[in-house]
Amino acid sequence: MARPTQPALIRLTHWANLVLFAIMAGSGLRILAAHPMLGAVGEEYRWVPFQGTRPPAFLTLGGWLAGARHWHFAFASLFVLNALVYLAYFVASGEWRRRLFFPRRDARNAWETLLHDLRLRRAAPGEHGLYNGMQRLAYTGVLATAPLLVLTGLALFKPVQLPRLTALLGGYDLARALHLGVLVALAAFTVVHVVQVALHPRTLVDMTVGRRARHEGGPT
Ligand code: HEM
Ligand code: HEM
């Protein structure tokens, strides 16, 4: 089945997001390393796994707390700007129609793709257009969770100026745990995503040069 070309703005913002996301995650993990306990001092959360464990140095950026904060705050606006360019194009171009998950259209295909990928079903999933149902589900999940990263980030950045936002997110300490939790979820998505891309290398060509390719399936 011929797939449509990946539009230039989607490709550009996707790869820019990869660089910006890596910078935000690396500097964020260096900030975490300065105090790797979640919850208020003396009332640390018991439910958080790996409490007190410093992230490995090779995953961090900025050298020390102040350096990492400089990186984090300098690149936060670029991260948001890139996301806004993507979103504006996503909505205005109508691309959302073939990229978002709609249960009535995609649920069956998502289920069949999952079973097929797990080798529990022989028959390939039916016709699905640009992305299969599982991809649409995963990408829509990313788009739905990413704003929480920005909102919790803003609550941590200006808790005094934005008291309502901070309160809405359960207070400073919970916002901090959520900020980190979203990063963990997106990092887990990225691992599966990259494995799937490696299994379907033509999609990488499409996402880079945008040309038409003939193939089925794709990464989640
Ligand atoms: C608008 C975007 C963002 C803003 C305003 C923001 C803001 C902040 C602030 C204020 C802190 C606490 C700094 C401190 O206590 O000194 C922080 C920590 C952190 N951020 Fe972000 N952030 C944003 C996006 C991101 C993104 C995209 C990621 C990951 C890809 C990320 C990962 C982290 C991590 C891991 C920490 C350490 C958690 C901690 O120990 O407090 N942030 N961020
Ligand atoms: C080395 C890292 C990465 C590689 C190689 C990669 C590769 C790709 C490729 C090839 C596609 C197109 C899939 C297809 O045509 O079937 C894609 C789509 C997508 N990727 Fe990535 N990606 C990476 C990192 C990330 C990260 C870090 C995120 C977000 C946290 C992300 C989010 C997405 C989303 C949301 C889409 C769908 C975009 C749309 O259609 O609007 N990717 N990626």
Side-chain angles (χ1 to χ4, degrees), residues 1 36 48 67 84 101 103 124 186:
M1 178 199 63
V48 172
L84 290 178
F101 178 84
L186 290 181

Side-chain angles (χ1 to χ4, degrees), residues 108-193:
R108 188 188 172 94
N109 185 273
W111 179 241
E112 289 176 358
T113 305
L114 182 67
L115 293 180
H116 184 66
D117 282 2
L118 294 174
R119 307 280 183 272
L120 295 173
R121 181 190 142 103
R122 264 169 184 245
E127 170 63 32
H128 50 69
L130 176 68
Y131 294 143
N132 64 47
M134 259 334 256
Q135 283 180 288
R136 289 200 178 111
L137 185 60
Y139 298 155
T140 304
V142 168
L143 295 184
T145 4
L148 194 56
L149 201 52
V150 177
L151 290 178
T152 49
L154 282 175
L156 297 179
F157 191 44
K158 298 282 175 196
V160 176
Q161 292 86 340
L162 301 168
R164 283 193 189 169
L165 177 66
T166 313
L168 192 73
L169 293 165
Y172 186 92
D173 292 311
L174 204 58
R176 193 177 159 224
L178 275 173
H179 197 60
L180 198 61
V182 178
L183 168 60
V184 172
L186 290 181
F189 156 82
T190 306
V191 171
V192 179
H193 184 54

Side-chain angles (χ1 to χ4, degrees), residues 3 6 10 14-15 17-18 21-22 86 90 95 99 130-131 135 138-140 142-143 186-187 189-190 193-194 197 200-208 215 217-219:
R3 284 174 104 216
Q6 287 282 14
I10 297 247
H14 177 271
W15 294 124
N17 178 66
L18 173 59
F21 186 78
Y86 169 82
F90 192 80
E95 285 289 336
R99 285 162 202 270
L130 176 68
Y131 294 143
Q135 283 180 288
Y139 298 155
T140 304
V142 168
L143 295 184
L186 290 181
F189 156 82
T190 306
H193 184 54
V194 170
V197 170
H200 304 90
R202 289 305 304 258
T203 61
L204 189 61
V205 178
D206 291 0
M207 200 45 150
T208 308
H215 59 95

